[in-house]
Amino acid sequence: MSIFKMQEVSIIIEDRTILEKTSLEIPPDNIIGISGPSGAGKTTFLKIFNRLWEPATGEIFFEGKPITSIEHTLLRREVVLLFQEPLLFGPRVKDDLLFPFSLPRFKQNPPARSMLEKALQAMSLPVSYLGKNSSELSGGEKQRIAIARSLLLQPKVLLLDEPTSALDQELSDSLLDCIFQIHTPRLVMFISHDPKLLQQADVHYRLQNHQLKKGGIKK
Amino acid sequence: MTVDIPISGMIIAYILFFIVFFLSQINRLEITRDLVVSTLRMTLQLFLVGWVLVYVFEWESPIIITGIFLLMVFFGAWTIMERSGVSYFQIFLSLLCSLFLGTGFVLLFFLFFIVEVTPWYDPQFFIPLAGMIIGNSMNGSTLAVERFFTGVRDRKLEIETKAALGANAREASLEIFKQSYKASLLPTLSSMTGMGIVFLPGMMTGQILGGTPPLIAIKYQITIMLAILASVALSSLLILLLERRFLFSHLDLPRYNLIKNNSR
């Protein structure tokens, strides 16, 4: 069974068509890379999978269920989206990593300290950063903390918008391995212009002229 | 004993205005128009309200008093909407509702349980108290509405990032909500802190000048300050709750079309 199924989905932003009546089945255990020209609507495309944006027409199914039938805040914890501009809430890195668990509605136990340390190490950050002030971090460090924060929720799907934009080349190249050290989602879908990262995807789509075109499959 | 101010005294008071006027003119401070308009408005409005109050005090009708209260709430809500720059009909309705409930509750509480006036609609108590309570709540609510609106508009990424981790509208905008509520209470809190040491409040000064013994005047001042604090807090909290409901969609996201079309 596909993890996501799109049925005749159209995306429109203020009279501008981003995607026109597209049907697609996305199998699980996959890494999907998405590229396309600036302004093509790639970020909005990612947002439709956890209802941060509503498609103008069509329906999306997650594990066989229409996503509109799933409570949207629960869906967003199973299908986590990470924005290009990482935002930390502070005051300390530890508070940031634990933010998703501070929402009392979900009654989800926070991860143990050893798990937080493992997440930092996987992101090539020292354990001592747990007590560090979030506002003192560099752009790249913030991005790594934001990725770790999303993964600690152990989502089924991880959606990443330009995840390597603030990272150095070495870390960019090994990003997916770093992610899988913390948690292995059933689907990772990312937007990137980085050819090396796109090469690591199982399937590559290009969003252009309101169409989603398959760019290539990893051999 | 009330000491009336003679007409000559009133005219002499305007000498103070002319001092400011000429100083501004000589120094070319370009504030002449504002000075004249504000002074004229103040004079005319107060004379007008004085005349109205003379009649209202004679009528002593609960219907007329309630009508005046509703009118004050209506203009209060309208002024908040204008001053905050958040001009939506739903916001106006929300303001009407929050100002009516917040100030109405405190006003009746004050009249029934604190000063125990009979009848409750005695205009000598009702009108000045309503004026003070609504006026202060209006200032607080203006700050609350404006701060929350600009907060949601300017901190869109923060809200979306929190929403993407499962936060609902309340959780995603909690920081903005807290800051807006704090901002609405700040003027009242700082005036309470300075009261008696930095300045003597207007109402108390008025009462003392009118012949009320200082110990009675401070009792009025203390109770009215508590009433003002409660009504500012209540009406600001209510309007923030309603504004949040209005600005966020059923998907717990900011309603972008509202925030975008009404930027200030």
Side-chain angles (χ1 to χ4, degrees), chain B residues 129-237:
Chain B
L129 285 173
M132 272 192 287
I133 286 173
I134 295 174
N136 281 282
S137 303
M138 207 175 82
N139 293 337
S141 298
T142 307
L143 286 167
V145 168
E146 198 268 337
R147 288 290 164 88
F148 192 74
F149 184 86
T150 48
V152 172
R153 187 191 62 196
D154 300 341
R155 290 161 72 175
K156 210 181 85 181
L157 182 68
E158 178 189 323
I159 292 169
E160 280 196 345
T161 304
K162 287 180 175 172
L165 293 165
N168 61 19
R170 193 183 65 79
E171 292 154 346
S173 64
L174 185 64
E175 285 306 312
I176 303 168
F177 194 98
K178 282 199 280 193
Q179 285 163 10
S180 311
Y181 183 59
K182 209 170 170 181
S184 75
L185 282 181
L186 220 57
T188 310
L189 292 178
S190 46
S191 110
M192 282 168 84
T193 314
M195 209 164 267
I197 298 174
V198 186
F199 64 95
L200 282 183
M203 189 192 81
M204 194 172 133
T205 313
Q207 276 190 312
I208 293 173
L209 285 176
T212 308
L215 283 179
I216 296 180
I218 60 144
K219 280 196 225 163
Y220 269 93
Q221 190 60 48
I222 290 170
T223 47
I224 192 75
M225 274 323 292
L226 292 171
I228 285 172
L229 179 68
S231 83
V232 171
L234 268 178
S235 39
S236 300
L237 190 63

Side-chain angles (χ1 to χ4, degrees), chain B residues 42-63:
Chain B
M42 182 270 294
T43 310
L44 282 174
Q45 283 167 201
L46 286 181
F47 264 112
L48 214 70
V49 84
W51 280 106
V52 172
L53 286 180
V54 167
Y55 286 107
V56 171
F57 280 22
E58 278 173 11
W59 286 328
E60 262 204 36
S61 145
I63 296 167

Side-chain angles (χ1 to χ4, degrees), chain A residues 117-177:
Chain A
E117 288 175 355
K118 188 184 155 193
L120 282 184
Q121 282 165 341
M123 284 293 149
S124 305
L125 291 170
V127 174
S128 61
Y129 265 45
L130 279 179
K132 199 163 174 155
N133 197 326
S134 302
S135 59
E136 288 170 8
L137 304 181
S138 70
E141 287 171 331
K142 281 183 182 166
Q143 197 152 27
R144 282 182 268 171
I145 298 292
I147 294 171
R149 180 175 64 193
S150 305
L151 287 163
L152 285 169
L153 270 172
Q154 305 200 307
K156 287 183 181 167
V157 178
L158 183 65
L159 307 168
L160 302 159
D161 188 0
E162 302 269 8
T164 56
S165 57
L167 302 183
D168 57 42
Q169 195 58 51
E170 197 185 335
L171 199 71
S172 295
D173 295 346
S174 61
L175 180 70
L176 291 172
D177 292 331

Side-chain angles (χ1 to χ4, degrees), chain A residues 14 47 51-52 54 72-73 76-77 81 83 85 87 89 99 105-106 149, chain B residues 157-158 160-168 171 250-253 256 260:
Chain A
E14 291 172 355
K47 283 180 175 180
R51 299 189 77 194
L52 283 174
E54 291 280 79
H72 56 273
T73 59
R76 287 171 192 159
R77 286 167 86 88
L81 190 152
F83 291 101
E85 203 179 317
L87 200 72
F89 317 124
F99 173 80
R105 278 179 306 122
F106 298 103
R149 180 175 64 193
Chain B
L157 182 68
E158 178 189 323
E160 280 196 345
T161 304
K162 287 180 175 172
L165 293 165
N168 61 19
E171 292 154 346
H250 67 290
L251 287 176
D252 291 296
L253 295 169
Y256 302 110
K260 209 170 164 186

